[in-house]
PDB file of all heavy atoms in Angstrom:
ATOM      1  N   SER D   3       1.952   5.108   1.046  1.00 46.00           N
ATOM      2  CA  SER D   3       1.965   5.849   2.296  1.00 46.00           C
ATOM      3  C   SER D   3       0.876   6.897   2.296  1.00 46.00           C
ATOM      4  O   SER D   3       0.368   7.299   1.251  1.00 46.00           O
ATOM      5  CB  SER D   3       3.325   6.525   2.483  1.00 46.00           C
ATOM      6  OG  SER D   3       3.535   7.468   1.447  1.00 46.00           O
ATOM      7  N   GLU D   4       0.498   7.331   3.512  1.00 41.00           N
ATOM      8  CA  GLU D   4      -0.453   8.429   3.609  1.00 41.00           C
ATOM      9  C   GLU D   4       0.161   9.679   2.990  1.00 41.00           C
ATOM     10  O   GLU D   4       1.335   9.973   3.206  1.00 41.00           O
ATOM     11  CB  GLU D   4      -0.802   8.687   5.077  1.00 41.00           C
ATOM     12  CG  GLU D   4      -1.685   7.616   5.684  1.00 41.00           C
ATOM     13  CD  GLU D   4      -3.037   7.545   4.998  1.00 41.00           C
ATOM     14  OE1 GLU D   4      -3.654   8.605   4.780  1.00 41.00           O
ATOM     15  OE2 GLU D   4      -3.469   6.432   4.666  1.00 41.00           O
ATOM     16  N   PRO D   5      -0.610  10.442   2.214  1.00 40.00           N
ATOM     17  CA  PRO D   5      -0.025  11.609   1.542  1.00 40.00           C
ATOM     18  C   PRO D   5       0.312  12.719   2.523  1.00 40.00           C
ATOM     19  O   PRO D   5      -0.409  12.958   3.486  1.00 40.00           O
ATOM     20  CB  PRO D   5      -1.137  12.052   0.593  1.00 40.00           C
ATOM     21  CG  PRO D   5      -2.397  11.554   1.220  1.00 40.00           C
ATOM     22  CD  PRO D   5      -2.032  10.262   1.890  1.00 40.00           C
ATOM     23  N   GLN D   6       1.431  13.346   2.264  1.00 40.00           N
ATOM     24  CA  GLN D   6       1.803  14.555   2.999  1.00 40.00           C
ATOM     25  C   GLN D   6       1.039  15.719   2.385  1.00 40.00           C
ATOM     26  O   GLN D   6       0.979  15.872   1.169  1.00 40.00           O
ATOM     27  CB  GLN D   6       3.313  14.769   2.871  1.00 40.00           C
ATOM     28  CG  GLN D   6       3.792  16.116   3.367  1.00 40.00           C
ATOM     29  CD  GLN D   6       5.239  16.356   2.978  1.00 40.00           C
ATOM     30  OE1 GLN D   6       5.935  15.438   2.573  1.00 40.00           O
ATOM     31  NE2 GLN D   6       5.668  17.594   3.099  1.00 40.00           N
ATOM     32  N   PHE D   7       0.422  16.544   3.225  1.00 33.00           N
ATOM     33  CA  PHE D   7      -0.377  17.659   2.723  1.00 33.00           C
ATOM     34  C   PHE D   7       0.336  18.960   3.027  1.00 33.00           C
ATOM     35  O   PHE D   7       0.714  19.226   4.163  1.00 33.00           O
ATOM     36  CB  PHE D   7      -1.758  17.657   3.382  1.00 33.00           C
ATOM     37  CG  PHE D   7      -2.699  18.696   2.822  1.00 33.00           C
ATOM     38  CD1 PHE D   7      -3.419  18.440   1.670  1.00 33.00           C
ATOM     39  CD2 PHE D   7      -2.836  19.923   3.436  1.00 33.00           C
ATOM     40  CE1 PHE D   7      -4.290  19.395   1.159  1.00 33.00           C
ATOM     41  CE2 PHE D   7      -3.699  20.884   2.915  1.00 33.00           C
ATOM     42  CZ  PHE D   7      -4.420  20.618   1.780  1.00 33.00           C
ATOM     43  N   VAL D   8       0.540  19.764   2.018  1.00 38.00           N
ATOM     44  CA  VAL D   8       1.201  21.064   2.181  1.00 38.00           C
ATOM     45  C   VAL D   8       0.303  22.143   1.601  1.00 38.00           C
ATOM     46  O   VAL D   8      -0.158  22.020   0.471  1.00 38.00           O
ATOM     47  CB  VAL D   8       2.567  21.100   1.474  1.00 38.00           C
ATOM     48  CG1 VAL D   8       3.234  22.442   1.681  1.00 38.00           C
ATOM     49  CG2 VAL D   8       3.461  19.975   1.981  1.00 38.00           C
ATOM     50  N   GLY D   9       0.016  23.192   2.353  1.00 37.00           N
ATOM     51  CA  GLY D   9      -0.779  24.291   1.824  1.00 37.00           C
ATOM     52  C   GLY D   9      -2.202  24.284   2.334  1.00 37.00           C
ATOM     53  O   GLY D   9      -2.609  23.428   3.112  1.00 37.00           O
ATOM     54  N   THR D  10      -2.962  25.250   1.896  1.00 37.00           N
ATOM     55  CA  THR D  10      -4.346  25.418   2.329  1.00 37.00           C
ATOM     56  C   THR D  10      -5.285  25.210   1.161  1.00 37.00           C
ATOM     57  O   THR D  10      -5.031  25.689   0.059  1.00 37.00           O
ATOM     58  CB  THR D  10      -4.554  26.842   2.900  1.00 37.00           C
ATOM     59  OG1 THR D  10      -3.609  27.042   3.951  1.00 37.00           O
ATOM     60  CG2 THR D  10      -5.961  27.024   3.432  1.00 37.00           C
ATOM     61  N   ARG D  11      -6.368  24.490   1.412  1.00 39.00           N
ATOM     62  CA  ARG D  11      -7.331  24.214   0.358  1.00 39.00           C
ATOM     63  C   ARG D  11      -7.909  25.517  -0.199  1.00 39.00           C
ATOM     64  O   ARG D  11      -8.308  26.402   0.536  1.00 39.00           O
ATOM     65  CB  ARG D  11      -8.469  23.328   0.905  1.00 39.00           C
ATOM     66  CG  ARG D  11      -9.615  23.059  -0.049  1.00 39.00           C
ATOM     67  CD  ARG D  11      -9.136  22.316  -1.301  1.00 39.00           C
ATOM     68  NE  ARG D  11     -10.226  22.221  -2.257  1.00 39.00           N
ATOM     69  CZ  ARG D  11     -10.934  21.106  -2.461  1.00 39.00           C
ATOM     70  NH1 ARG D  11     -10.660  20.020  -1.799  1.00 39.00           N
ATOM     71  NH2 ARG D  11     -11.898  21.086  -3.350  1.00 39.00           N
ATOM     72  N   LEU D  12      -7.910  25.623  -1.525  1.00 39.00           N
ATOM     73  CA  LEU D  12      -8.458  26.815  -2.169  1.00 39.00           C
ATOM     74  C   LEU D  12      -9.966  26.688  -2.309  1.00 39.00           C
ATOM     75  O   LEU D  12     -10.485  25.614  -2.603  1.00 39.00           O
ATOM     76  CB  LEU D  12      -7.844  26.994  -3.561  1.00 39.00           C
ATOM     77  CG  LEU D  12      -6.335  27.263  -3.614  1.00 39.00           C
ATOM     78  CD1 LEU D  12      -5.882  27.262  -5.058  1.00 39.00           C
ATOM     79  CD2 LEU D  12      -6.013  28.597  -2.964  1.00 39.00           C
ATOM     80  N   VAL D  46      -7.088  23.122  -7.981  1.00 96.00           N
ATOM     81  CA  VAL D  46      -7.487  23.093  -6.581  1.00 96.00           C
ATOM     82  C   VAL D  46      -6.425  22.392  -5.747  1.00 96.00           C
ATOM     83  O   VAL D  46      -6.314  22.623  -4.533  1.00 96.00           O
ATOM     84  CB  VAL D  46      -8.861  22.409  -6.428  1.00 96.00           C
ATOM     85  CG1 VAL D  46      -8.794  20.903  -6.647  1.00 96.00           C
ATOM     86  CG2 VAL D  46      -9.479  22.722  -5.081  1.00 96.00           C
ATOM     87  N   GLU D  47      -5.598  21.556  -6.409  1.00 97.00           N
ATOM     88  CA  GLU D  47      -4.528  20.852  -5.713  1.00 97.00           C
ATOM     89  C   GLU D  47      -3.627  20.183  -6.744  1.00 97.00           C
ATOM     90  O   GLU D  47      -4.045  19.942  -7.891  1.00 97.00           O
ATOM     91  CB  GLU D  47      -5.095  19.778  -4.775  1.00 97.00           C
ATOM     92  CG  GLU D  47      -5.851  18.688  -5.531  1.00 97.00           C
ATOM     93  CD  GLU D  47      -6.772  17.854  -4.659  1.00 97.00           C
ATOM     94  OE1 GLU D  47      -6.705  17.976  -3.424  1.00 97.00           O
ATOM     95  OE2 GLU D  47      -7.567  17.086  -5.233  1.00 97.00           O
ATOM     96  N   LEU D  48      -2.410  19.891  -6.320  1.00 98.00           N
ATOM     97  CA  LEU D  48      -1.495  19.050  -7.080  1.00 98.00           C
ATOM     98  C   LEU D  48      -1.199  17.828  -6.228  1.00 98.00           C
ATOM     99  O   LEU D  48      -0.764  17.949  -5.080  1.00 98.00           O
ATOM    100  CB  LEU D  48      -0.194  19.790  -7.399  1.00 98.00           C
ATOM    101  CG  LEU D  48       0.978  18.930  -7.897  1.00 98.00           C
ATOM    102  CD1 LEU D  48       0.649  18.252  -9.224  1.00 98.00           C
ATOM    103  CD2 LEU D  48       2.258  19.774  -8.011  1.00 98.00           C
ATOM    104  N   ILE D  49      -1.447  16.656  -6.780  1.00 98.00           N
ATOM    105  CA  ILE D  49      -1.135  15.400  -6.104  1.00 98.00           C
ATOM    106  C   ILE D  49       0.063  14.784  -6.819  1.00 98.00           C
ATOM    107  O   ILE D  49       0.011  14.523  -8.022  1.00 98.00           O
ATOM    108  CB  ILE D  49      -2.337  14.430  -6.150  1.00 98.00           C
ATOM    109  CG1 ILE D  49      -3.522  15.039  -5.386  1.00 98.00           C
ATOM    110  CG2 ILE D  49      -1.950  13.069  -5.573  1.00 98.00           C
ATOM    111  CD1 ILE D  49      -4.837  14.369  -5.665  1.00 98.00           C
ATOM    112  N   VAL D  50       1.151  14.588  -6.084  1.00 98.00           N
ATOM    113  CA  VAL D  50       2.363  13.985  -6.645  1.00 98.00           C
ATOM    114  C   VAL D  50       2.514  12.602  -6.036  1.00 98.00           C
ATOM    115  O   VAL D  50       2.631  12.453  -4.811  1.00 98.00           O
ATOM    116  CB  VAL D  50       3.606  14.836  -6.349  1.00 98.00           C
ATOM    117  CG1 VAL D  50       4.858  14.150  -6.909  1.00 98.00           C
ATOM    118  CG2 VAL D  50       3.457  16.235  -6.949  1.00 98.00           C
ATOM    119  N   GLU D  64       9.144  18.872  -2.887  1.00 98.00           N
ATOM    120  CA  GLU D  64       8.895  19.393  -1.534  1.00 98.00           C
ATOM    121  C   GLU D  64       9.228  20.884  -1.435  1.00 98.00           C
ATOM    122  O   GLU D  64       8.495  21.645  -0.794  1.00 98.00           O
ATOM    123  CB  GLU D  64       9.703  18.583  -0.520  1.00 98.00           C
ATOM    124  CG  GLU D  64       9.151  17.181  -0.314  1.00 98.00           C
ATOM    125  CD  GLU D  64      10.119  16.268   0.422  1.00 98.00           C
ATOM    126  OE1 GLU D  64      11.298  16.671   0.602  1.00 98.00           O
ATOM    127  OE2 GLU D  64       9.705  15.163   0.803  1.00 98.00           O
ATOM    128  N   ALA D  67       6.461  22.712  -3.090  1.00 98.00           N
ATOM    129  CA  ALA D  67       5.233  22.695  -2.292  1.00 98.00           C
ATOM    130  C   ALA D  67       5.194  23.825  -1.266  1.00 98.00           C
ATOM    131  O   ALA D  67       4.114  24.339  -0.930  1.00 98.00           O
ATOM    132  CB  ALA D  67       5.087  21.347  -1.586  1.00 98.00           C
ATOM    133  N   GLN D  68       6.331  24.244  -0.767  1.00 97.00           N
ATOM    134  CA  GLN D  68       6.373  25.287   0.255  1.00 97.00           C
ATOM    135  C   GLN D  68       5.995  26.661  -0.295  1.00 97.00           C
ATOM    136  O   GLN D  68       5.582  27.542   0.460  1.00 97.00           O
ATOM    137  CB  GLN D  68       7.778  25.352   0.872  1.00 97.00           C
ATOM    138  CG  GLN D  68       8.203  24.075   1.584  1.00 97.00           C
ATOM    139  CD  GLN D  68       7.288  23.707   2.733  1.00 97.00           C
ATOM    140  OE1 GLN D  68       6.746  24.581   3.423  1.00 97.00           O
ATOM    141  NE2 GLN D  68       7.094  22.410   2.944  1.00 97.00           N
ATOM    142  N   PHE D  72      -0.971  26.791  -4.711  1.00 97.00           N
ATOM    143  CA  PHE D  72      -2.065  25.844  -4.466  1.00 97.00           C
ATOM    144  C   PHE D  72      -1.526  24.727  -3.583  1.00 97.00           C
ATOM    145  O   PHE D  72      -0.304  24.536  -3.466  1.00 97.00           O
ATOM    146  CB  PHE D  72      -2.616  25.278  -5.783  1.00 97.00           C
ATOM    147  CG  PHE D  72      -1.551  24.940  -6.791  1.00 97.00           C
ATOM    148  CD1 PHE D  72      -0.768  23.802  -6.658  1.00 97.00           C
ATOM    149  CD2 PHE D  72      -1.318  25.772  -7.866  1.00 97.00           C
ATOM    150  CE1 PHE D  72       0.220  23.492  -7.580  1.00 97.00           C
ATOM    151  CE2 PHE D  72      -0.326  25.482  -8.801  1.00 97.00           C
ATOM    152  CZ  PHE D  72       0.446  24.336  -8.654  1.00 97.00           C
ATOM    153  N   PRO D  73      -2.407  23.966  -2.933  1.00 97.00           N
ATOM    154  CA  PRO D  73      -1.946  22.868  -2.073  1.00 97.00           C
ATOM    155  C   PRO D  73      -1.241  21.778  -2.891  1.00 97.00           C
ATOM    156  O   PRO D  73      -1.633  21.483  -4.024  1.00 97.00           O
ATOM    157  CB  PRO D  73      -3.231  22.328  -1.451  1.00 97.00           C
ATOM    158  CG  PRO D  73      -4.249  23.394  -1.637  1.00 97.00           C
ATOM    159  CD  PRO D  73      -3.874  24.118  -2.889  1.00 97.00           C
ATOM    160  N   VAL D  74      -0.222  21.187  -2.302  1.00 98.00           N
ATOM    161  CA  VAL D  74       0.495  20.069  -2.921  1.00 98.00           C
ATOM    162  C   VAL D  74       0.428  18.879  -1.973  1.00 98.00           C
ATOM    163  O   VAL D  74       0.766  18.996  -0.782  1.00 98.00           O
ATOM    164  CB  VAL D  74       1.971  20.433  -3.211  1.00 98.00           C
ATOM    165  CG1 VAL D  74       2.708  19.232  -3.814  1.00 98.00           C
ATOM    166  CG2 VAL D  74       2.049  21.637  -4.143  1.00 98.00           C
ATOM    167  N   ARG D  75       0.000  17.754  -2.484  1.00 97.00           N
ATOM    168  CA  ARG D  75      -0.099  16.535  -1.677  1.00 97.00           C
ATOM    169  C   ARG D  75       0.899  15.534  -2.251  1.00 97.00           C
ATOM    170  O   ARG D  75       0.873  15.229  -3.446  1.00 97.00           O
ATOM    171  CB  ARG D  75      -1.516  15.979  -1.710  1.00 97.00           C
ATOM    172  CG  ARG D  75      -2.562  17.005  -1.323  1.00 97.00           C
ATOM    173  CD  ARG D  75      -3.968  16.509  -1.561  1.00 97.00           C
ATOM    174  NE  ARG D  75      -4.356  15.485  -0.616  1.00 97.00           N
ATOM    175  CZ  ARG D  75      -5.536  14.871  -0.646  1.00 97.00           C
ATOM    176  NH1 ARG D  75      -6.411  15.157  -1.592  1.00 97.00           N
ATOM    177  NH2 ARG D  75      -5.839  13.951   0.246  1.00 97.00           N
ATOM    178  N   ILE D  76       1.759  15.000  -1.403  1.00 97.00           N
ATOM    179  CA  ILE D  76       2.844  14.128  -1.850  1.00 97.00           C
ATOM    180  C   ILE D  76       2.648  12.728  -1.268  1.00 97.00           C
ATOM    181  O   ILE D  76       2.512  12.556  -0.051  1.00 97.00           O
ATOM    182  CB  ILE D  76       4.210  14.682  -1.412  1.00 97.00           C
ATOM    183  CG1 ILE D  76       4.403  16.106  -1.948  1.00 97.00           C
ATOM    184  CG2 ILE D  76       5.343  13.764  -1.905  1.00 97.00           C
ATOM    185  CD1 ILE D  76       5.614  16.813  -1.368  1.00 97.00           C
ATOM    186  N   ARG D  77       2.629  11.750  -2.165  1.00 97.00           N
ATOM    187  CA  ARG D  77       2.506  10.348  -1.742  1.00 97.00           C
ATOM    188  C   ARG D  77       3.752   9.588  -2.172  1.00 97.00           C
ATOM    189  O   ARG D  77       4.188   9.699  -3.324  1.00 97.00           O
ATOM    190  CB  ARG D  77       1.259   9.703  -2.377  1.00 97.00           C
ATOM    191  CG  ARG D  77       1.031   8.277  -1.924  1.00 97.00           C
ATOM    192  CD  ARG D  77      -0.185   7.666  -2.588  1.00 97.00           C
ATOM    193  NE  ARG D  77       0.084   7.282  -3.977  1.00 97.00           N
ATOM    194  CZ  ARG D  77      -0.685   6.435  -4.671  1.00 97.00           C
ATOM    195  NH1 ARG D  77      -1.780   5.934  -4.109  1.00 97.00           N
ATOM    196  NH2 ARG D  77      -0.387   6.128  -5.911  1.00 97.00           N
ATOM    197  N   ARG D  78       4.297   8.813  -1.261  1.00 97.00           N
ATOM    198  CA  ARG D  78       5.462   7.984  -1.569  1.00 97.00           C
ATOM    199  C   ARG D  78       5.035   6.517  -1.591  1.00 97.00           C
ATOM    200  O   ARG D  78       4.584   5.989  -0.571  1.00 97.00           O
ATOM    201  CB  ARG D  78       6.561   8.195  -0.526  1.00 97.00           C
ATOM    202  CG  ARG D  78       7.098   9.617  -0.476  1.00 97.00           C
ATOM    203  CD  ARG D  78       7.930   9.824   0.779  1.00 97.00           C
ATOM    204  NE  ARG D  78       8.542  11.151   0.818  1.00 97.00           N
ATOM    205  CZ  ARG D  78       7.914  12.240   1.209  1.00 97.00           C
ATOM    206  NH1 ARG D  78       6.646  12.183   1.594  1.00 97.00           N
ATOM    207  NH2 ARG D  78       8.541  13.408   1.222  1.00 97.00           N
ATOM    208  N   LEU D  95      -7.069  10.145  -4.441  1.00 96.00           N
ATOM    209  CA  LEU D  95      -6.845  11.262  -3.521  1.00 96.00           C
ATOM    210  C   LEU D  95      -7.427  12.575  -4.027  1.00 96.00           C
ATOM    211  O   LEU D  95      -7.508  13.553  -3.287  1.00 96.00           O
ATOM    212  CB  LEU D  95      -5.338  11.442  -3.286  1.00 96.00           C
ATOM    213  CG  LEU D  95      -4.578  10.225  -2.742  1.00 96.00           C
ATOM    214  CD1 LEU D  95      -3.077  10.509  -2.734  1.00 96.00           C
ATOM    215  CD2 LEU D  95      -5.071   9.866  -1.350  1.00 96.00           C
ATOM    216  N   THR D  97      -9.802  15.590  -5.258  1.00 95.00           N
ATOM    217  CA  THR D  97     -11.074  16.131  -4.765  1.00 95.00           C
ATOM    218  C   THR D  97     -11.751  17.065  -5.757  1.00 95.00           C
ATOM    219  O   THR D  97     -12.897  17.453  -5.553  1.00 95.00           O
ATOM    220  CB  THR D  97     -10.855  16.893  -3.445  1.00 95.00           C
ATOM    221  OG1 THR D  97      -9.961  17.985  -3.683  1.00 95.00           O
ATOM    222  CG2 THR D  97     -10.267  15.990  -2.374  1.00 95.00           C
TER     223      THR D  97
END
Side-chain angles (χ1 to χ4, degrees):
S3 63
E4 288 297 314
Q6 169 190 346
F7 186 83
V8 181
T10 304
R11 175 61 187 257
L12 296 174
V46 72
E47 63 198 350
L48 166 63
I49 297 165
V50 178
E64 288 166 350
Q68 298 300 326
F72 41 76
V74 178
R75 307 171 72 182
I76 303 170
R77 183 181 76 163
R78 298 167 176 82
L95 303 173
T97 61

